[in-house]
Structure formats: structure tokens, C-alpha cells
Amino acid sequence: MTLEEKIQNLQRVSMKEARAEGNALIKGHADFLSHRLSEYQQKMKMQAENRIGNEKARIRLRQNRDISEYQIRLRRELNEYQEELKKKLFGRVRELLKIYMKTGEYLDLLSRQVREAMLYADGEETVIYINASDRELKEAIEERTGALLTVSSEDFTGGIRAVIRTKNILIDRSFSRALEKEYADFLFRGGDKNV
């Protein structure tokens, strides 16, 4: 083999080795970059999933807050509407009570309440009050019960009040007290048919 052939052979072998080394370096670098790209993609995917999760949680929180505020507003409106209906209802009750107070049944009721108060007093000195609006019924009740009645200066709508001073007892069978208690205790049941 001639020198030129040897040089060409050496050049060919060197080039082949250089290409192999270059290819190996390029492949190693490409593998490294491919691995880095894969890591970067996984990291970006995790960050995106975290952002999406955080955004979902934030949206859920905002949605829950909005729903809660809406429910509070609805409850407030419902309470206001129920209070308005309650006032109308009890206004109507007061109208019907005025009509009832003009009947003989009302006179019977007052007489019964006076007798019950006297029975409860058991002979103790008792002051029995009737409402000023019942002034015209005073004599009839006194005749029926044998009690001495006092017309109250305080308006309590109807019914009676009795004071047993020796026992420090107030018997309050007044309509105003009963209406106040019923008004305070009254609740709309929301269509519960079993109540």
C-alpha cells in the first residue's frame, strides 16, 4: 500500500471514527435534550394542573359565597314577606275579635273568666279589671258573677285582668297579651300539611 493509500485509509478510518464520535455526541446531546424536554413538559403539566385545581377551588369558593349570599338575601326577603303577611293576618284577627266582642259569647267568656279568677283567689281580696271598651257589659257581668268589677284605664283590647294583692298575683287573660304571645310564637310552616 502506498503512502497515499495509507493516508486515504487513515483519513477514512479517522473520519469514520470522528463521525461515530460526533454521532454519539449528537445522539447523547439529543437524548439529554429530549430528557430535559420531557422533564420540562411534565413540570409544565403539573403546574398547569395545579393552576387549574387552584382556579377550580377559587371558583367553587366564589360560587359557594355567591350561593350563600343569595340564600341569605332570599331568607331575608322571605322573612320580610312573612312578617308582612303576619301583620295582615293579625290585623284580620283583630277585626274578627272586634266582631266577636259584640256577641253574647263574649259576655259568656268574660263571665267565665271572672268566675275562674274568683275561684283561683279562693276568697282573697281580688281586683278584677275589664277593658274600657267593655264598660257597657260591666253590670251584666257583675249580675252573673256577683263580683265587683273595675274598668281599667289601660287598654288591653278585651278579656280580663285580676290582681290578688295578698298573693302578689296577676291573672292576665287579656286579649292584648294573648295576641302578643301568639304574634311572637307564630311561624309559617312552609306548607307542612302534618302540622
Side-chain angles (χ1 to χ4, degrees), residues 2-169:
T2 65
L3 188 58
E4 230 179 82
E5 287 177 339
K6 286 183 180 178
I7 291 174
Q8 282 180 351
N9 192 26
L10 182 64
Q11 190 179 12
R12 210 180 16 244
V13 169
S14 295
M15 286 303 283
K16 189 176 183 183
E17 284 178 14
R19 273 193 210 105
E21 280 182 34
N23 286 340
L25 281 173
I26 290 171
K27 183 175 182 331
H29 194 63
D31 288 346
F32 173 76
L33 289 176
S34 177
H35 179 71
R36 289 292 305 260
L37 177 63
S38 177
E39 285 178 348
Y40 177 77
Q41 286 173 334
Q42 284 181 328
K43 181 180 173 184
M44 289 297 108
K45 184 178 178 183
M46 285 177 59
Q47 285 179 353
E49 287 173 356
N50 285 341
R51 270 189 252 126
I52 290 170
N54 291 339
E55 188 63 21
K56 282 181 180 178
R58 192 176 65 76
I59 288 170
R60 227 181 344 265
L61 186 67
R62 185 176 353 126
Q63 186 179 32
N64 288 342
R65 186 187 66 233
D66 291 346
I67 288 170
S68 179
E69 287 173 359
Y70 183 69
Q71 287 174 332
I72 289 169
R73 190 171 63 246
L74 281 180
R75 273 190 231 119
R76 189 178 305 123
E77 288 174 8
L78 177 64
N79 287 340
E80 288 171 2
Y81 184 66
Q82 284 181 340
E83 189 62 27
E84 182 183 322
L85 286 178
K86 190 173 168 180
K87 285 178 183 176
K88 285 181 182 178
L89 174 66
F90 276 84
R92 180 68 178 137
V93 168
R94 288 183 188 280
E95 290 172 10
L96 293 172
L97 198 55
K98 286 178 185 176
I99 294 168
Y100 170 74
M101 290 171 65
K102 294 176 184 172
T103 66
E105 292 174 343
Y106 179 60
L107 178 61
D108 294 341
L109 173 72
L110 290 177
S111 299
R112 187 171 57 252
Q113 287 179 341
V114 168
R115 280 193 290 275
E116 288 171 357
M118 290 171 52
L119 185 65
Y120 185 81
D122 195 30
E124 295 289 327
E125 182 184 335
T126 306
V127 179
I128 300 174
Y129 295 94
I130 61 171
N131 199 53
S133 62
D134 298 329
R135 177 177 275 117
E136 69 277 354
L137 301 175
K138 182 178 184 275
E139 287 182 29
I141 298 168
E142 287 176 338
E143 284 178 23
R144 286 180 171 202
T145 63
L148 181 62
L149 302 178
T150 305
V151 177
S152 177
S153 60
E154 181 184 338
D155 182 24
F156 50 85
T157 308
I160 68 152
R161 286 184 177 164
V163 177
I164 308 170
R165 296 193 196 285
T166 56
K167 294 182 179 179
N168 203 23
I169 293 175

